[in-house]
Amino acid sequence: MAAVQDGPIESESDKETKTDALNDGAGNITGSSTGVLSSPPNATSSATGAAKPMAPPPPGPEDQQTLLAVLQYLKKNNLLESVDILRREAGLSDDEDSQGTDGSGSAANADEGGDANSLLNRVSIATPAPVAVPAAPPPKASGGEDQPDVNVVLSAYSQQGDPALYDTYYTGLKNFIESVLDCHRAELSQLFYPLFVHMYLELVYNNHEQEGKTFFDKFSGDQECYYQDDLRVLSSVSKREHMRGNETLLDFRTSKFVLRISRDSYQLLKRHLQERQNNQIWNIIQEHLYIDIFDGMPRSKSQIDSMSGSLAGEARREANKVKVFYGLLKEPEIEVPLDDEDEEAENEEGKPKKKKPKKDSMGNKSKKQDPNAPQQARIPLPELKDSDKLDKIMNLKEATKRIRLGPEALPSICFYSFLNAYQGLTAVDFTDDSSLIAGGFADSTVRVWSVTPKKLRRVKSAVDLNVIDKESDDVLERIMDDKTASESKVMYGHTGPVYGISFSSDRNYLLSSSEDGTVRLWSLQTYTCLVGYKGHNYPVWDTQFSPFGYYFISGGHDRVARLWATDHYQPLRIFAGHLGDVTCTQFHPNSNYVATGSADRTVRMWDVLNGNCVRILTGHKGPIHSLAFSPNGKFLASGATDGRVLLWDIGHGLMIGDLKGHTDTVYALKFSRDGEILASGSMDNTVRLWNAYKAFDDVETDDFTSATGHIHLPENSHELLLGTYMTKSTPVIHLHFTRRNLLLTAGAYNPQ
């Protein structure tokens, strides 16, 4: 029904009491005794394992009064069909509602037909088109008590007020917010965008096209610049039919927009809405917004902007309170033999004693248990094979020759340009030992090249393998067919562009994901497809192997990420919660967690053990396309179409750095092996190096305990930027640090 502009709502004292009773510890408004609809299930509840909201209590005497008042109003307007429906649903007899509302009626009758919320919702659907009702004092009950304002009740459930008054409501709130103190204005200004969206959608949904267009044209220019993409989608919706099947609008209507506001600012807002009796605004706040109230000083404009921008607002504070075991797993005890070459080199340098302790310390360091690490057997991991142990030994020996990077010692950069890549290079990956490079292409092919002089060979045929002496020491060499040696191999199987690619840690397998909705596992011994994993219904944008192999993650257009094991056809976990495409994925170094970046402008971290979402990180102003964990597992870097690189402290779930400099999408991120340097590659044809050590070291740990759950970010991008390296005309789509800290980069030359 139409909202009454100046109609009375509850008195300030009554409203204060009811609202406070409805606020949980975080200040969330969950409903009211006047029967406001309870919130729809959050899209993240299934993934995060959040407890389901409790069922509303049976309607009390006041709800009974409300039902009877609604019946009287329907009778007065000769809506007899609606009266019959309401009586049936509420279990009321024909004469029960005519006895007046003396406050003594039993609430059991209303409860028999369902709770009051669903009941009144059905009534509002059954009523004809709403008619504007002039303002009038509320009718008196037979018992002498004031009845609830029926117009207000119905307008709250039908989600519709007088379309001509939406402009007035929004303008009144805008004028109020602009008149408050500066310290509160920044926080209350967060209301503009979600209220604008929901008021516009209500107008469109109720077929008020002209009023909706006028409302959009007048106020869309007031919204923050980082919501422009969403506003473009919104502007294309001018009729109710346009809303069907529109995923973005479905997200707006089914997800609560989260606002983090200080208690003082919230009290100002509540008092204003009560004094102006602005029911339309209040109803939208209750049904579509989640007010996360904190005690303490209001946040500044810069603090709010740094965390805003995602499709559903900021993350709730409790979403990032779960303990995360970000430490590294204990390394297996492997003795590192000393090569003769190393001994000779040391003797020539005359410093054998300095080198030996360094190697010993490397071995000892890996044996210490990190207090922040998960239990070794928290998730089952594959056992180390002999070849894995040999590779770890090589890795440790390479680490002894690693160059220590820093501001005075930047890495050398080797760029691999794919020339004449007219088939469209879409994904690149290097093996951990930097011996192979693979590319995924828009023509559905997967190609592998050898970076070393050693050529690629296939395993011999079964007939030839039968005559080989399997007991010989060089059996692994004998099984390879020299006749098939070449610098590259091409693998066919996908039926759409290949968007994601990833080598296994042992260099025996390669994963690829495609527009065809499948993930394929390829053998690097036979260069054939071993398995096609089917689970995604739409394009799969990215796939990544676990650092330990065996497990891998995939994410796609269906908005979910899936965890797989190479020997299972079905996914082990499905991580659901994002409101947009899952565009990039990354395993934590300890393999117990995965991070996913999405087109909804959030980064989420998931627990592999139970599938729960343990972190929701907001702050990007565009879809996220790259993620990288620091080698020690404590920090995460993310890059997006907004050209920014954000740094996160995983343990506390807080942003600790904002690196600005790129002018286009940040498509690749990588930490150096020692974690001192962060490299970022972008579609602006540049590679930038950042001082990660200084960025993390400058963070004040005391700030993590602040009541707002947010720290002040210093504007120090120019201080942290160590170097910018431009290509001629090659967007950078992949970065890789070798074991000695040489930076390898790759991209396809784009002739202009």
Side-chain angles (χ1 to χ4, degrees):
M1 302 301 293
V4 182
Q5 184 181 6
D6 295 317
I9 61 176
E10 297 162 296
S11 67
E12 185 168 345
S13 59
D14 293 340
K15 194 76 172 179
E16 186 84 25
T17 304
K18 290 178 183 177
T19 306
D20 287 342
L22 298 167
N23 288 344
D24 58 17
N28 182 29
I29 304 168
T30 57
S32 79
S33 56
T34 56
V36 177
L37 281 171
S38 58
S39 63
N42 194 334
T44 62
S45 61
S46 61
T48 58
K52 294 181 180 179
M54 292 185 296
E62 190 171 85
D63 290 319
Q64 181 78 354
Q65 288 183 20
T66 302
L67 291 171
L68 297 176
V70 171
L71 281 169
Q72 288 184 5
Y73 178 79
L74 294 175
K75 281 182 179 178
K76 180 181 175 183
N77 287 274
N78 204 29
L79 302 173
L80 301 181
E81 183 180 351
S82 299
V83 171
D84 292 338
I85 292 173
L86 181 56
R87 278 200 190 120
R88 270 199 315 274
E89 295 288 352
L92 296 174
S93 60
D94 290 345
D95 58 347
E96 200 166 350
D97 59 291
S98 61
Q99 296 174 1
T101 53
D102 58 1
S104 60
S106 171
N109 291 332
D111 196 44
E112 287 173 5
D115 63 79
N117 293 346
S118 59
L119 200 61
L120 287 180
N121 195 30
R122 294 191 193 102
V123 173
S124 66
I125 294 171
T127 55
V131 182
V133 181
K140 292 283 183 181
S142 58
E145 296 178 0
D146 287 351
Q147 285 186 318
D149 187 352
V150 180
N151 301 324
V152 173
V153 173
L154 288 184
S155 68
Y157 283 91
S158 66
Q159 286 298 292
Q160 182 184 5
D162 184 349
L165 297 178
Y166 276 54
D167 188 317
T168 305
Y169 291 148
Y170 194 85
T171 302
L173 182 67
K174 183 180 174 184
N175 292 337
F176 161 71
I177 292 176
E178 290 176 350
S179 68
V180 300
L181 295 175
D182 291 348
C183 61
H184 300 296
R185 187 185 309 154
E187 286 196 327
L188 294 180
S189 295
Q190 298 177 82
L191 287 163
F192 287 146
Y193 175 68
L195 287 175
F196 168 79
V197 170
H198 287 297
M199 292 177 81
Y200 175 72
L201 290 179
E202 283 185 15
L203 288 170
V204 172
Y205 186 79
N206 290 292
N207 298 316
H208 301 299
E209 296 175 23
Q210 188 56 46
E211 290 87 346
K213 184 179 185 305
T214 303
F215 184 82
F216 187 92
D217 292 342
K218 183 171 182 178
F219 298 111
S220 60
D222 296 340
Q223 311 308 319
E224 298 285 357
C225 60
Y226 41 78
Y227 291 124
Q228 292 308 308
D229 289 341
D230 296 335
L231 292 176
R232 270 193 290 274
V233 174
L234 206 61
S235 65
S236 65
V237 179
S238 56
K239 297 179 182 295
R240 186 171 182 172
E241 294 75 21
H242 297 166
M243 299 175 72
R244 293 176 186 153
N246 191 313
E247 293 179 345
T248 303
L249 300 190
L250 183 64
D251 294 334
F252 279 128
R253 294 183 65 83
T254 58
S255 305
K256 285 210 167 190
F257 196 93
V258 181
L259 303 175
R260 196 174 297 174
I261 297 178
S262 66
R263 189 170 299 279
D264 290 343
S265 299
Y266 175 71
Q267 294 294 346
L268 273 176
L269 171 68
K270 187 169 65 171
R271 194 174 302 117
H272 166 76
L273 294 177
Q274 289 169 359
E275 290 173 354
R276 297 301 177 91
Q277 302 179 357
N278 198 333
N279 299 303
Q280 197 66 27
I281 298 287
W282 187 247
N283 292 334
I284 291 176
I285 289 175
Q286 285 191 303
E287 181 156 354
H288 296 292
L289 273 59
Y290 180 98
I291 308 294
D292 192 355
I293 299 176
F294 63 88
D295 294 307
M297 293 291 293
R299 292 186 298 167
S300 65
K301 173 72 171 167
S302 62
Q303 286 178 316
I304 293 169
D305 284 346
S306 66
M307 302 297 289
S308 302
S310 82
L311 204 58
E314 296 187 43
R316 304 184 186 189
R317 281 178 298 162
E318 62 266 24
N320 294 329
K321 292 292 178 65
V322 181
K323 181 173 176 56
V324 172
F325 300 101
Y326 57 80
L328 305 183
L329 296 175
K330 183 180 177 182
E331 289 286 347
E333 297 183 7
I334 300 176
E335 299 244 344
V336 183
L338 200 61
D339 287 352
D340 294 337
E341 295 177 6
D342 294 334
E343 287 181 349
E344 289 175 10
E346 288 170 3
N347 288 331
E348 287 172 9
E349 293 173 10
K351 301 177 182 177
K353 291 184 179 178
K354 273 194 177 178
K355 290 233 172 186
K356 280 186 179 176
K358 189 174 182 182
K359 293 188 178 182
D360 292 341
S361 66
M362 282 293 297
N364 292 334
K365 186 178 180 182
S366 64
K367 296 173 186 176
K368 292 181 180 178
Q369 179 66 42
D370 189 331
N372 294 306
Q375 293 295 321
Q376 198 76 15
R378 187 171 183 266
I379 61 171
L381 293 172
E383 292 184 6
L384 281 181
K385 298 176 291 189
D386 290 341
S387 58
D388 297 329
K389 292 178 180 178
L390 287 173
D391 192 58
K392 282 193 173 293
I393 289 173
M394 289 300 298
N395 195 350
L396 290 172
K397 291 173 72 174
E398 289 284 319
T400 63
K401 302 172 184 177
R402 181 183 300 157
I403 298 173
R404 180 66 181 259
L405 301 179
E408 307 301 324
L410 298 180
S412 298
I413 303 177
C414 177
F415 201 105
Y416 287 85
S417 291
F418 289 72
L419 299 176
N420 305 317
Y422 301 120
Q423 63 271 45
L425 178 72
T426 50
V428 177
D429 194 29
F430 288 90
T431 54
D432 185 67
D433 68 348
S434 312
S435 62
L436 301 176
I437 181 174
F441 293 87
D443 64 356
S444 308
T445 61
V446 177
R447 301 167 189 254
V448 181
W449 288 267
S450 173
V451 178
T452 65
K454 189 176 180 180
K455 293 190 175 181
L456 305 179
R457 298 174 296 172
R458 286 193 179 94
V459 173
K460 291 179 179 178
S461 65
V463 176
D464 294 335
L465 289 175
N466 285 332
V467 299
I468 292 177
D469 180 9
K470 298 178 179 60
E471 301 300 324
S472 62
D473 294 336
D474 59 346
V475 63
L476 294 178
E477 181 65 25
R478 291 190 181 192
I479 65 174
M480 306 308 294
D481 188 355
D482 290 332
K483 296 177 183 177
T484 63
S486 63
E487 292 182 353
S488 66
K489 299 289 183 185
V490 183
M491 296 178 286
Y492 301 93
H494 283 296
T495 57
V498 178
Y499 292 119
I501 205 160
S502 178
F503 281 107
S504 64
S505 55
D506 59 8
R507 302 180 299 286
N508 287 329
Y509 304 103
L510 177 69
L511 282 171
S512 60
S513 62
S514 167
E515 185 188 53
D516 61 18
T518 67
V519 179
R520 288 181 178 265
L521 180 70
W522 308 86
S523 168
L524 297 181
Q525 305 297 327
T526 61
Y527 296 97
T528 56
C529 181
L530 301 177
V531 191
Y533 301 95
K534 298 179 180 179
H536 292 276
N537 299 320
Y538 298 97
V540 186
W541 302 126
D542 194 26
T543 186
Q544 291 288 330
F545 252 119
S546 159
F548 297 93
Y550 185 64
Y551 299 110
F552 64 92
I553 186 80
S554 63
H557 180 59
D558 55 8
R559 301 181 170 196
V560 300
R562 286 174 163 83
L563 177 75
W564 310 77
T566 51
D567 58 357
H568 285 67
Y569 287 102
Q570 298 297 324
L572 306 179
R573 293 279 184 274
I574 296 178
F575 304 121
H578 279 296
L579 301 179
D581 295 24
V582 177
T583 49
C584 54
T585 58
Q586 194 70 38
F587 263 94
H588 190 274
N590 65 23
S591 282
N592 279 253
Y593 302 93
V594 293
T596 55
S598 171
D600 66 8
R601 283 111 59 186
T602 68
V603 177
R604 289 174 181 252
M605 267 186 67
W606 310 86
D607 191 335
V608 168
L609 180 65
N610 51 36
N612 289 343
C613 180
V614 294
R615 291 290 180 267
I616 303 176
L617 310 174
T618 65
H620 278 294
K621 309 300 186 282
I624 296 158
H625 283 281
S626 53
L627 296 167
F629 282 100
S630 62
N632 62 6
K634 190 176 180 181
F635 304 105
L636 174 68
S638 58
T641 58
D642 56 12
R644 298 158 68 218
V645 177
L646 300 185
L647 305 177
W648 309 90
D649 180 281
I650 295 170
H652 298 87
L654 294 175
M655 185 194 303
I656 57 174
D658 184 355
L659 307 180
K660 301 173 183 175
H662 285 293
T663 58
D664 206 338
T665 302
V666 179
Y667 209 79
L669 288 169
K670 199 72 176 180
F671 282 94
S672 62
R673 296 280 176 151
D674 49 19
E676 301 279 338
I677 301 290
L678 173 64
S680 59
S682 170
M683 302 303 281
D684 63 8
N685 306 336
T686 66
V687 175
R688 292 176 186 261
L689 300 179
W690 309 89
N691 190 342
Y693 176 80
K694 178 175 172 56
F696 299 142
D697 192 53
D698 285 351
V699 176
E700 294 291 338
T701 54
D702 293 342
D703 290 338
F704 288 137
T705 60
S706 62
T708 60
H710 183 75
I711 63 173
H712 180 71
L713 294 176
E715 290 285 341
N716 59 348
S717 295
H718 61 285
E719 298 174 11
L720 300 176
L721 181 62
L722 300 177
T724 302
Y725 305 90
M726 304 202 53
T727 65
K728 184 176 181 181
S729 185
T730 307
V732 183
I733 66 170
H734 189 71
L735 300 168
H736 173 77
F737 276 96
T738 69
R739 291 171 175 175
R740 297 193 185 189
N741 268 340
L742 169 68
L743 178 58
L744 306 182
T745 59
Y749 177 70
N750 183 24
Q752 297 293 331

